[in-house]
């Protein structure tokens, strides 16, 4: 049986790693990206060199800024872009899609698959495609040179859910040959609320905004003080409360740290963060216009707060960071972010949404 | 004609300076404070020594933790405490008050006189007293030793308003012999919205919380970055919008800086702050539990936001700082702060409030 044809959308760290690593394993790869300057090296070299935990050269048969020959051709479309670009990618894919294709968001952040599906519906797409989202990126990786990526780690397990959840097993059948690590989550709500970046990133940046903008912040996690972490736990409690209102039980940030990293000690979230050696050396951003703000707020805190409002769960800590973050970078995250309306969930009740993510419209 | 008998309530920088300076000028002074250890030196030395811009020794005839012989005796009661203590002071004064006394809050912050009056009413006070608030403290001063204060500057002009405003001229007649600098403001709303500390202090601390708690913040104003000041301007815009809804036109922070300090240059608030030599050397706090948070939020941002809500003016930036500040120091500022309810204004319309501050109940 021939291998699945894989389209890669994007040209960042994750897109380089997935293209290279899957190419190494013999999957036919084509890559689309909006900006030519970000992909010229891959075209010149005919693929991506991978170094680190795995090593080799993965050929990419077509590297282009033209979406059509990439998207229409593929069996599996891997969307590996910042979540705020999902809407643009969905609009780009819409005219090229055909029956039987799978779109996998790597990762979806909060509400990715729902927003993607909503855009395709707005665009009048009638092709029978399946949309799924992964809980996070499968690699720890960085671009290490032109058409070159270093993979420092590969996750052993990663949750995946299709929208609707009734199609998750069909999606897994197609993507497990690529990544056996993917396993089924209950629904996209589980994946969506399990967004730990939304807890750690924007709050920590806002509460250290002065030093970050001055370029004087040092370690991202190491700088965190007890009261700052106390605030991050307030965001986490809101996230868990909103999830629970939708029947989703997920790990708290405190539990997640203990499960995810070896050698984490202590009872409080502060102690667990400070004892986590995997965080040592992760530098604080040097600007406020970073993904911690411009990605994690509109595709993390906004959908959590918006779904919270829909479910009657107050989220003042999320609200505060959305409002301040928007003022700091001069963006209206309530207008551009994933509100219930943007996710196609407006006017639904909690129970209707739970049913919707299970079986679809 | 004999000089007014002046009661000083408090034992901080301002209370020391007022007691010493008025005592020097021959006003009979008695001083009450809740904590013995803060006033023992004044009693031992029989008064306060003043150094700096003015110099001398001001006798204090009674220094005590017993409010009765101070408050019942006085013609003018100078309340010189953090604004969050106004409620406690009002409760303490209530049983001792008698007809004809004047209570002057130095300063009132936002809503001080209204809260004070509301507490006296709750306590069933029937004595005919007059309550007023000053826009800020009349001195730049610091305690410089036991029973000793350094006055580095005396303001040339300072707004004062009584509640109700109909009584402002009667109050000025009593307090101008003490301080000719006081002049009439339109009403306590003018004084209350003219709270520049509420604009600068809590937002700057929250957006620098990490470095402040770590003890690594340096200059309070000098550290401010362009985006942080942009956020402070968002708070300022909300303050001005709420004031305007109540018919009060006040200077923006930008205008205020230019009028208040010599040598300020630039167009933006950021440039004006950074060019203000009077701010050089003002250190950032070394803890989050500072008056910038625990005073300026409950007696500044909370009343502005609450009056904004009453007037239909949204105040998301104020809300964000109130919520985050409360979580950082584990306080519920919405419960303890000066909401419209706490100010005795609940269930009134904007027009009714404007009339209320003019003529009283």
């Amino acid at each position: 049986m021939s291998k699945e044809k894989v389209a890669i959308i994007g040209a960042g760290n994750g897109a380089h790693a997935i293209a290279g690593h899957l190419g190494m394993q013999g999957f036919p790869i084509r890559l689309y990206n909006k900006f030519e300057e970000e992909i010229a090296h891959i075209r010149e070299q005919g693929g991506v060199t991978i170094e680190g935990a795995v090593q080799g050269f993965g050929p990419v048969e077509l590297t282009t800024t033209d979406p059509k020959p990439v998207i229409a051709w593929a069996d599996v479309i891997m969307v590996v872009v910042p979540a705020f670009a999902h809407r643009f990618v969905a609009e780009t894919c819409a005219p090229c899609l055909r029956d039987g294709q799978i779109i996998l968001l790597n990762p979806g952040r909060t509400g990715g698959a729902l927003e993607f599906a909503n855009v395709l519906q707005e665009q009048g797409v009638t092709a029978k495609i399946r949309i799924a989202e992964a809980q996070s990126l499968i690699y720890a990786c960085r671009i290490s040179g032109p058409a070159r990526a270093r993979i420092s780690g590969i996750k052993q397990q990663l949750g995946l859910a299709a929208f609707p959840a009734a199609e998750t097993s069909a999606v897994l059948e197609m993507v497990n040959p690529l990544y056996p690590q993917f396993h089924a989550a209950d629904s996209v709500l589980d994946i969506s609320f399990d967004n730990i970046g939304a807890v750690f990133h924007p709050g920590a940046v806002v509460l250290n905004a002065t030093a970050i903008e001055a370029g004087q912040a040092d370690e991202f996690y190491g700088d965190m003080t007890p009261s700052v972490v106390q605030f991050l736990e307030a965001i986490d409690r809101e996230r868990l409360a909103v999830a629970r209102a939708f029947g989703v039980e997920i790990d708290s940030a405190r539990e997640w740290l203990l499960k995810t990293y070896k050698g984490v000690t202590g009872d409080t979230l502060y102690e667990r963060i400070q004892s986590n050696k995997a965080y040592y050396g992760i530098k604080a951003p040097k600007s406020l216009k970073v993904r911690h703000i411009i990605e994690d707020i509109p595709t993390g805190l906004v959908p959590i707060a918006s779904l919270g409002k829909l479910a009657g769960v107050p989220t003042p800590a999320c609200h505060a960071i959305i409002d301040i973050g928007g003022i700091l970078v001069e963006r209206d995250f309530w207008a551009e972010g994933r509100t219930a309306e943007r996710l196609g969930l407006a006017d639904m009740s909690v129970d209707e949404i739970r049913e919707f993510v299970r079986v679809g419209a």
Side-chain angles (χ1 to χ4, degrees), chain A residues 279-349:
Chain A
Y279 286 158
Y280 294 3
I282 296 180
K283 290 292 160 196
K286 297 292 180 193
S287 150
L288 298 174
K289 286 179 184 156
V290 288
R291 282 168 65 162
H292 304 66
I293 297 287
I294 62 175
E295 178 173 14
D296 286 309
I297 290 181
T299 69
L301 294 184
V302 167
I304 290 169
S306 182
L307 290 170
K309 185 179 176 194
L310 194 148
V313 177
T315 55
C318 293
H319 267 254
I321 296 299
I322 295 165
D323 286 329
I324 296 179
I327 293 167
L328 288 176
V329 301
E330 298 179 87
R331 297 265 287 265
D332 182 353
F333 290 126
W334 291 109
E336 64 180 81
R338 288 180 177 160
T339 54
E341 291 71 30
R342 291 283 286 266
L343 298 177
L345 306 176
D347 311 318
M348 289 192 199
S349 69

Side-chain angles (χ1 to χ4, degrees), chain A residues 8-82:
Chain A
I8 313 285
I9 314 296
N13 298 309
H16 273 71
I18 292 179
H21 193 210
L22 289 180
M24 274 169 58
Q25 297 166 71
F27 290 95
I29 306 289
R30 295 186 181 183
L31 188 145
Y32 158 79
N33 187 60
K34 187 179 176 186
F35 303 109
E36 166 66 18
E37 63 272 25
E38 295 176 356
I39 55 174
H41 287 295
I42 298 177
R43 186 185 311 110
E44 282 159 22
Q45 304 201 16
V48 178
T49 302
I50 300 291
E51 53 192 5
V54 288
Q55 296 167 15
F57 178 80
V60 174
E61 66 171 61
L62 179 66
T63 303
T64 172
T65 58
D66 178 7
K68 182 89 185 171
V70 176
I71 290 160
W73 160 89
D75 299 314
V76 178
I77 300 163
M78 293 281 194
V79 180
V80 200
V81 299

Side-chain angles (χ1 to χ4, degrees), chain A residues 122-344:
Chain A
E122 285 168 15
Q123 302 286 317
V125 171
T126 54
K128 289 181 181 28
I129 53 101
R130 292 189 169 107
I131 303 172
E133 61 186 28
Q135 201 271 315
S136 82
L137 189 64
I138 199 146
Y139 304 109
C141 59
R142 280 284 173 275
I143 292 174
S144 53
R148 176 178 289 267
R150 168 173 296 277
I151 292 177
S152 54
I154 305 179
K155 294 198 174 69
Q156 294 303 302
Q157 280 231 53
L158 201 57
L160 177 151
F163 167 70
E167 296 184 347
T168 298
S169 62
V171 171
L172 281 175
E173 229 171 88
M174 286 281 278
V175 302
N176 273 339
L178 286 66
Y179 292 105
Q181 299 95 329
F182 283 124
H183 65 89
D186 260 8
S187 80
V188 290
L189 291 180
D190 294 64
I191 304 278
S192 286
F193 290 125
D194 205 0
N195 183 345
I196 205 77
V199 175
F200 285 155
H201 297 163
V205 169
V206 165
L207 295 178
N208 203 16
T210 306
I212 285 173
E213 190 172 26
Q216 290 169 349
D218 182 20
E219 295 264 310
F220 183 69
Y221 292 93
D223 282 356
M224 290 178 181
T225 55
S227 302
V228 168
V229 175
Q230 189 168 290
F231 178 75
L232 302 183
E233 286 215 270
I235 292 201
D236 200 41
R237 278 193 299 276
E238 294 178 2
R239 177 181 71 108
L240 298 176
V242 176
R244 203 171 302 122
F246 283 87
V248 175
E249 285 292 337
I250 45 177
D251 287 337
S252 68
R254 205 185 283 202
E255 294 162 338
W256 178 86
L257 266 177
L258 204 62
K259 284 187 185 173
T260 305
Y261 296 100
K262 285 189 181 144
V264 168
T265 58
D267 293 325
T268 67
L269 182 59
Y270 175 75
E271 291 165 345
R272 290 184 182 180
I273 287 173
Q274 295 306 337
S275 67
N276 183 11
K277 291 198 172 57
Y279 286 158
Y280 294 3
I282 296 180
K283 290 292 160 196
K286 297 292 180 193
S287 150
L288 298 174
K289 286 179 184 156
V290 288
R291 282 168 65 162
H292 304 66
I293 297 287
I294 62 175
E295 178 173 14
D296 286 309
I297 290 181
T299 69
L301 294 184
V302 167
I304 290 169
S306 182
L307 290 170
K309 185 179 176 194
L310 194 148
V313 177
T315 55
C318 293
H319 267 254
I321 296 299
I322 295 165
D323 286 329
I324 296 179
I327 293 167
L328 288 176
V329 301
E330 298 179 87
R331 297 265 287 265
D332 182 353
F333 290 126
W334 291 109
E336 64 180 81
R338 288 180 177 160
T339 54
E341 291 71 30
R342 291 283 286 266
L343 298 177

